Amino acid sequence: MINAAPDWERRIDELWDTFDEYEPDEFLAKVKELAGELPDGDATAQYELASAHDSIGNEAEAAIHYRQAFAAGLTGPRRRQATIQFASTLRNLGQAEESVALLTAERDAASDELDDAVTAFLALALTDLGRDREAVSLTLGALSRHLPRYNRSLSNYAKALLDK
């Protein structure tokens, strides 16, 4: 095995930056090559493999790697990204209830620049379960924080959707 030097992160980032330049199988092969530089079962390697499979439409295979990444103790920013991505994958695989459970727990567990992404994917999963008012409420609440005006009004309307 090649030593996963500090430049590994740079190389995986550069590969993702050039995603559109590759055919799906070629991109996946390049991710597998880089993941192979890390120890067997490494959480980061599993996450990158999951992300690659997800990005090329292999959602069932992606789900396997997401579960392995979590089981291997994925931490840091990748853990939250993996939660969002895995929940989206589950939704696309027809498992919206598990998606909602993951994203609801994530909303309650952490806060960072990905908060609105968590909310957006939660709203999508809620619509799959027929919980449209709740989905719109969450979406409007997230949007209200980014508007130059009407923040309070939109936030209040978002809350009111749940009261009806």
Side-chain angles (χ1 to χ4, degrees):
M1 176 175 64
I2 299 171
N3 183 21
D7 75 327
W8 189 92
E9 290 288 346
R10 178 190 52 77
R11 291 184 292 134
I12 194 74
D13 288 344
E14 287 174 356
L15 180 58
W16 279 105
D17 288 344
T18 60
F19 173 81
D20 292 327
E21 297 174 18
Y22 294 98
E23 292 298 319
D25 289 340
E26 183 184 11
F27 181 78
L28 180 59
K30 292 200 172 287
V31 171
K32 284 180 178 181
E33 183 179 320
L34 280 172
E37 295 179 18
L38 300 177
D40 285 342
D42 181 83
T44 296
Q46 292 302 315
Y47 166 76
E48 294 297 342
L49 289 167
S51 298
H53 279 288
D54 223 352
S55 294
I56 64 170
N58 296 342
E59 291 163 327
E61 185 69 21
I64 293 167
H65 290 285
Y66 285 128
R67 289 187 196 282
Q68 290 173 347
F70 291 125
L74 189 64
T75 61
R78 280 189 173 103
R79 189 211 53 82
R80 194 153 205 227
Q81 293 167 9
T83 300
I84 294 165
Q85 293 168 206
F86 182 42
S88 177
T89 295
L90 289 171
R91 178 184 157 267
N92 289 329
L93 291 172
Q95 299 171 31
E97 288 183 13
E98 188 176 353
S99 177
V100 167
L102 277 173
L103 292 168
T104 299
E106 191 63 31
R107 276 184 92 219
D108 296 339
S111 182
D112 63 15
E113 71 278 357
L114 294 176
D115 287 353
D116 291 336
V118 171
T119 298
F121 284 95
L122 176 56
L124 286 169
L126 288 168
T127 61
D128 285 0
L129 297 177
R131 295 165 59 182
D132 296 340
R133 289 183 78 82
E134 188 177 350
V136 170
S137 174
L138 287 172
T139 303
L140 291 176
L143 176 63
S144 72
R145 294 188 293 272
H146 302 282
L147 299 176
R149 297 186 57 91
Y150 311 110
N151 310 75
R152 189 178 66 232
S153 296
L154 190 57
S155 178
N156 288 335
Y157 284 130
K159 291 174 191 166
L161 282 170
L162 298 178
D163 294 335
K164 295 185 179 191

